[in-house]
Amino acid sequence: MKDYKESNAYGSFAAVYDTFMDNIPYGKWGVYLHGLLKEYGIEDGLVLDLGCGTGSMTELLASLGYDMIGVDSSGDMLEIALEKKEKSGYDILYLQQDMREFELYGTVRAIVSICDSLNYITEPEELQQVFHWVNNYLDMDGVFIFDFNTEYKYREILGDRTIAENREDCSFIWDNYYYEEERINEYELSLFIKDEKLACDGGEIYRKYQETHFQRGYTLAEMKELVQSAGMRFFAAYDAFTREEPSDTSERIYVIAGKGE
């Protein structure tokens, strides 16, 4: 197995990320997330989207009246987020930072992190550090809402399989490997993206790019322990997009935590 601490994720993939993620029901996810925020009294104010990617959820939350900040480590993803911001006109502050050591100018009412962004933190002690910074930058009555892919999903659903998808201007081959002992999921992406600048005489030229992504499979018990060991309060956990308790076959879990006293 490769060194999963090293990754070249979200470089060339950023340019086609939204194309391949068009099956994600961001609207539905946003309604669910908004409902959780309101349930804990967060109906306005500053909200941080941690691991915001191309800003799809950041934009959605901004449209619901929140003052948004987006943090992501990928400059390529943030460039696309900034393009969306120019079109929408929302006053969103984007910061290129590693979530393991992010810094804000002050506290925020809520922090959210979705689309399994936290699974990219493959070392538990580093994830605890993320939770430490979250606790540091939350208002006293602030809440933290995040989701994560479960170990069950990596082992039983993704496993060792290949997924391929073809679109008009790009295509990809996704080779997935799950290393059960290390609980690390690796997926190697081979991307084929049309290069309009090189096309001539009516022909089409595609460039090939390759990226490798690593994620860790966590259990709910581990997440709860890491949240609490970072000084935060654990409030609830739900099977994604429901108010039901997670089960052994939950593929994605939402966790709600609060600032520690």
Side-chain angles (χ1 to χ4, degrees):
M1 188 183 73
K2 298 177 180 178
D3 181 359
Y4 56 79
K5 293 182 181 180
E6 297 299 327
S7 174
N8 59 336
Y10 294 118
S12 52
F13 189 36
V16 294
Y17 179 83
D18 285 337
T19 298
F20 289 122
M21 294 296 111
D22 62 3
N23 62 331
I24 299 296
Y26 284 110
K28 175 184 175 182
W29 289 20
V31 168
Y32 179 76
L33 184 56
H34 187 213
L36 292 176
L37 286 168
K38 290 196 298 181
E39 187 175 318
Y40 286 86
I42 311 298
E43 299 192 35
D44 55 19
L46 273 173
V47 174
L48 168 65
D49 187 359
L50 191 59
C52 63
T54 60
S56 295
M57 185 57 68
T58 325
E59 288 270 330
L60 198 156
L61 290 174
S63 74
L64 294 171
Y66 295 105
D67 299 318
M68 296 303 300
I69 302 171
V71 165
D72 202 276
S73 62
S74 170
D76 294 295
M77 298 287 271
L78 289 176
E79 282 186 19
I80 297 170
L82 288 170
E83 292 174 3
K84 292 180 181 179
K85 172 185 171 180
E86 290 180 5
K87 293 179 181 179
S88 70
Y90 292 125
D91 187 17
I92 301 171
L93 172 64
Y94 284 111
L95 302 171
Q96 184 177 357
Q97 296 181 347
D98 188 322
M99 67 172 67
R100 292 168 293 188
E101 49 188 12
F102 73 92
E103 294 183 56
L104 301 180
Y105 303 112
T107 59
V108 296
R109 295 207 65 197
I111 297 176
V112 300
S113 186
I114 66 162
C115 292
D116 45 89
S117 294
L118 294 178
N119 287 101
Y120 277 97
I121 308 299
T122 57
E123 297 295 331
E125 61 271 19
E126 293 184 353
L127 185 54
Q128 181 182 336
Q129 183 63 31
V130 174
F131 293 156
H132 166 79
W133 291 121
V134 167
N135 190 46
N136 185 62
Y137 287 112
L138 276 178
D139 288 347
M140 287 305 299
D141 59 348
V143 296
F144 177 37
I145 301 175
F146 67 91
D147 73 3
F148 67 96
N149 281 338
T150 63
E151 185 182 13
Y152 170 83
K153 180 176 181 178
Y154 292 124
R155 185 181 66 247
E156 303 294 338
I157 307 301
L158 294 176
D160 295 335
R161 58 181 299 204
T162 297
I163 302 169
E165 195 167 327
N166 186 41
R167 301 297 180 89
E168 183 177 350
D169 295 326
C170 51
S171 62
F172 77 80
I173 300 172
W174 168 359
D175 291 310
N176 198 88
Y177 311 95
Y178 182 61
Y179 306 102
E180 190 165 355
E181 183 177 349
E182 295 88 350
R183 295 164 60 191
I184 295 296
N185 190 79
E186 172 187 354
Y187 53 100
E188 294 182 351
L189 283 172
S190 296
L191 303 162
F192 303 88
I193 303 174
K194 184 187 291 187
D195 192 324
E196 299 287 356
K197 295 180 180 179
L198 294 180
C200 58
D201 299 326
E204 297 178 346
I205 295 178
Y206 290 77
R207 286 187 177 274
K208 180 181 179 181
Y209 303 88
Q210 290 186 293
E211 292 190 5
T212 304
H213 296 235
F214 298 102
Q215 293 185 316
R216 182 184 179 91
Y218 289 96
T219 66
L220 177 55
E222 288 173 321
M223 283 298 193
K224 183 176 182 179
E225 180 181 353
L226 289 170
V227 163
Q228 293 176 329
S229 63
M232 303 189 72
R233 293 176 291 162
F234 179 90
F235 289 154
Y238 299 120
D239 195 358
F241 317 119
T242 75
R243 292 297 197 278
E244 299 176 2
E245 291 187 5
S247 69
D248 292 339
T249 57
S250 294
E251 297 178 27
R252 184 185 298 273
I253 294 175
Y254 269 71
V255 172
I256 301 97
K259 184 178 179 66
E261 297 178 353

